[in-house]
Amino acid sequence: MTALPDIRTGIGWDTHRIVEGRPLLLAGVRIEWDKGLAGHSDADVLAHAVTDALLGAAALGDIGMHFPDTDPRWKGADSLRLLAQSVSLVSEAGFAILNADTTVILERPKLKDYRVAIRESLAGALGIAVDRVSVKFKTAEGLGPVGHGESAEAQASVLIARMPR
Ligand code: C5P
Ligand code: MG
């Protein structure tokens, strides 16, 4: 009997409140805007969603389990570093990352001019080629907290496969 290929998918989601006096970081890329996102860490909503998708794919828990927001070590933490640490955990568990697909939902500002920079940054953190990383943007069409400009959301899907030993 042939063994089934060990390919696994993971999903991640995150949200942060929009406030004044904080930067807006998406996968470590600083977006020019007069507002930003609140949070214990650097509030990088996209990095957090991708981290959860990755940990989820390997069934390794979630971001709060590995990097609790009650821990002073992670205050103002660079979320790309947390993502890179999660990549190490998944790699140590014997998996390779095949691709990541993501969506950022934010009413404004327009993000499309940052797509290349964000893809490159995510690809670097994940250790995969840029053409395996997708970044999409949506408004919420004026509906709900995102539509009212109160919050940002991000979603991510990651595929991993166990490497033959
Ligand atoms: O939400 P909506 O479908 O109207 O978005 C249309 C397009 O605008 C998206 O496909 C995306 O390319 C772009 N967009 C953006 N920045 C946002 C939201 C959407 O660049 N904050
Ligand atoms: Mg978060």
Side-chain angles (χ1 to χ4, degrees):
M1 212 168 68
T2 43
L4 287 173
D6 195 351
I7 297 175
R8 305 178 184 202
T9 181
I11 60 166
W13 174 89
D14 194 28
T15 187
H16 281 265
R17 185 182 294 276
I18 293 172
V19 292
E20 289 181 359
R22 291 263 304 184
L24 172 59
L25 291 167
L26 293 175
V29 175
R30 175 84 186 250
I31 310 297
E32 226 173 289
W33 199 30
D34 57 351
K35 293 178 190 165
L37 299 180
H40 179 78
S41 69
D42 61 7
D44 190 326
V45 67
L46 179 58
H48 295 174
V50 174
T51 300
D52 260 2
L54 185 60
L55 292 170
L60 286 173
D62 61 25
I63 190 169
M65 187 182 121
H66 295 278
F67 316 105
D69 65 6
T70 47
D71 189 330
R73 264 188 307 165
W74 313 121
K75 188 166 163 51
D78 174 351
S79 298
L80 265 198
R81 275 193 45 225
L82 308 188
L83 175 55
Q85 261 179 263
S86 303
V87 170
S88 297
L89 289 173
V90 168
S91 165
E92 282 156 22
F95 294 100
I97 301 165
L98 298 187
N99 83 303
D101 185 20
T102 68
T103 305
V104 177
I105 309 121
L106 191 59
E107 207 64 15
R108 61 182 65 84
K110 275 284 175 226
L111 297 167
K112 57 184 171 45
D113 292 346
Y114 293 94
R115 195 186 319 265
V116 172
I118 294 172
R119 288 179 71 198
E120 284 174 351
S121 179
L122 271 182
L126 293 170
I128 61 178
V130 177
D131 68 359
R132 290 175 182 263
V133 178
S134 154
V135 176
K136 310 186 301 302
F137 307 114
K138 292 298 284 181
T139 68
E141 297 283 344
L143 299 168
V146 177
H148 296 149
E150 296 166 13
S151 59
E153 292 185 9
Q155 302 173 338
S157 160
V158 169
L159 196 69
I160 62 173
R162 191 176 286 284
M163 297 304 285
R165 283 192 238 222

